[in-house]
Amino acid sequence: MLKYRSARSDKPGLFANTPLDAIFVAISLGGIGLYVVVACAFDSIRWPWLLILGLVSAYLICFNSECITHCHGHTPIFCTHWLNRTFSVINTLALGELVTVNHVFHLNHHRFVNDRIDPATGRTGDWTSSFRCGKDGQMEPFLPYVLAMVLRYRYMRKEMADVDTAFEAEVERLGCRTQIRIEQIAHLLFLAALTWVNWRFLVFYYAPVWLIGSIGGWAFGYGEHYGATPGSPKTDSVSSYNPIYNFLFFNNGYHQEHHYRPGLHWTEITSVRSAMLPADQRAVIRGWHFTNLGLTGRR
């Protein structure tokens, strides 16, 4: 069974790191509750309000991907393994994808960190590297990369033929297949229940909301490495010290620091900044990661 690491497993109480992580739990449950409320009242909600609520749901998915699921994978929220595994099942419903599958992919990402194509194999070690399907040694452009990640058609491309095999081997190594199946069953039952309540909600609200929110999450992921130099834990990622961004996204801007010390909790990651290279020797942006997409040329 996949073991959730805890930086302070001996700490008494419910939360392994800080009670502030209760915010993550509340937001996850709030996202699920919003789905249920909108599904039940879908036919009576006017379209302007549906649009507003849809944007809120999409934002929660994006936030969940970047903060809740990400932090829970690295620094599990609860003190006990069974509570952490239970939360992963619950959070799967909020995120709209299997949290443990996400975790397996993310562990691989941290092992290779958006590496370039290996000339010997013609592939990247990082299954989600933006260089994997790029041309002439460059990162794949933002839009095709993100759509490939979100819509999962990446598995149909010859450049991704090795991912399925490698993923299955990693699942066996980590012993998390049962957890994945539990999350999958819970997710399918949740979608079936929402469909039973109102199938129009699933088609006209849930599906587009999930698509937009997932694209937003992958946009952050792309921006966290666009312009960085792979190969070193001090240059392979992009940091942002924008105070508003880091307040609203729980220090998510400290991404180079995170790859340098991935086991540190979000409340502690700011302390690593002093160990980083000067800003003129690595990728540092002023805005948010989702604005660092290479759409207007290099910075």
Side-chain angles (χ1 to χ4, degrees):
M1 175 64 69
L2 175 65
K3 295 294 185 182
Y4 284 97
R5 296 183 297 107
S6 175
R8 301 170 184 167
S9 58
D10 59 342
K11 185 178 180 181
L14 183 64
F15 297 100
N17 303 283
T18 170
L20 288 174
D21 282 345
I23 298 172
F24 288 162
V25 179
I27 291 174
S28 179
L29 293 174
I32 297 171
L34 183 57
Y35 285 146
V36 173
V37 170
V38 174
C40 292
F42 185 77
D43 291 332
S44 61
I45 302 175
R46 295 181 179 274
W47 73 262
W49 282 107
L50 282 176
L51 179 61
I52 294 172
L53 292 172
L55 290 174
V56 171
S57 288
Y59 169 81
L60 291 179
I61 291 172
C62 178
F63 177 87
N64 194 322
S65 175
E66 281 300 293
C67 298
I68 303 174
T69 301
H70 183 233
C71 291
H72 182 57
H74 285 286
T75 53
I77 291 174
F78 298 102
C79 285
T80 64
H81 294 308
W82 74 268
L83 271 177
N84 285 317
R85 290 195 290 269
T86 300
F87 180 68
S88 289
V89 175
I90 294 170
N91 198 40
T92 289
L93 310 186
L95 182 64
E97 64 176 272
L98 308 187
V99 165
T100 299
V101 169
N102 180 292
H103 186 42
V104 174
F105 269 84
H106 196 67
L107 288 175
N108 169 265
H109 169 67
H110 268 270
R111 181 180 177 187
F112 296 101
V113 195
N114 205 58
D115 58 334
R116 298 182 186 273
I117 293 174
D118 182 351
T121 64
R123 294 179 174 133
T124 60
D126 186 345
W127 303 330
T128 59
S129 174
S130 51
F131 287 99
R132 178 174 276 252
C133 296
K135 304 298 182 184
D136 302 320
Q138 300 300 310
M139 291 176 65
E140 186 176 15
F142 164 70
L143 193 58
Y145 171 80
V146 169
L147 290 178
M149 294 297 107
V150 173
L151 299 178
R152 304 300 195 264
Y153 75 76
R154 62 184 183 269
Y155 296 128
M156 302 177 188
R157 302 194 293 187
K158 63 180 186 303
E159 297 93 339
M160 307 297 290
D162 61 311
V163 172
D164 257 349
T165 301
F167 172 78
E168 291 299 325
E170 191 67 3
V171 168
E172 290 299 323
R173 186 185 74 83
L174 294 171
C176 56
R177 190 171 301 281
T178 298
Q179 178 70 20
I180 289 173
R181 286 174 176 166
I182 292 171
E183 291 172 13
Q184 186 176 44
I185 291 170
H187 189 215
L188 290 174
L189 289 175
F190 183 61
L191 293 180
L194 293 176
T195 303
W196 178 78
V197 171
N198 194 324
W199 68 267
R200 289 179 292 276
F201 161 83
L202 197 74
V203 173
F204 298 112
Y205 185 94
Y206 184 90
V209 157
W210 177 84
L211 179 62
I212 294 170
S214 298
I215 288 175
W218 279 102
F220 272 91
Y222 189 91
E224 286 164 354
H225 296 281
Y226 176 77
T229 304
S232 168
K234 288 191 175 183
T235 65
D236 56 17
S237 305
V238 179
S239 286
S240 168
Y241 304 117
N242 184 298
I244 298 176
Y245 174 30
N246 283 301
F247 175 75
L248 294 178
F249 275 74
F250 294 75
N251 291 330
N252 194 61
Y254 290 78
H255 202 67
Q256 185 66 73
E257 289 82 352
H258 169 65
H259 273 280
Y260 188 67
R261 291 286 184 268
L264 281 184
H265 191 256
W266 63 266
T267 58
E268 302 172 323
I269 197 63
T270 58
S271 65
V272 184
R273 184 176 178 179
S274 60
M276 297 291 94
L277 295 172
D280 60 354
Q281 297 180 28
R282 59 190 176 97
V284 178
I285 58 173
R286 294 182 179 180
W288 297 29
H289 282 126
F290 81 88
T291 66
N292 182 41
L293 308 179
L295 300 178
T296 57
R298 304 286 293 199
R299 295 179 306 277

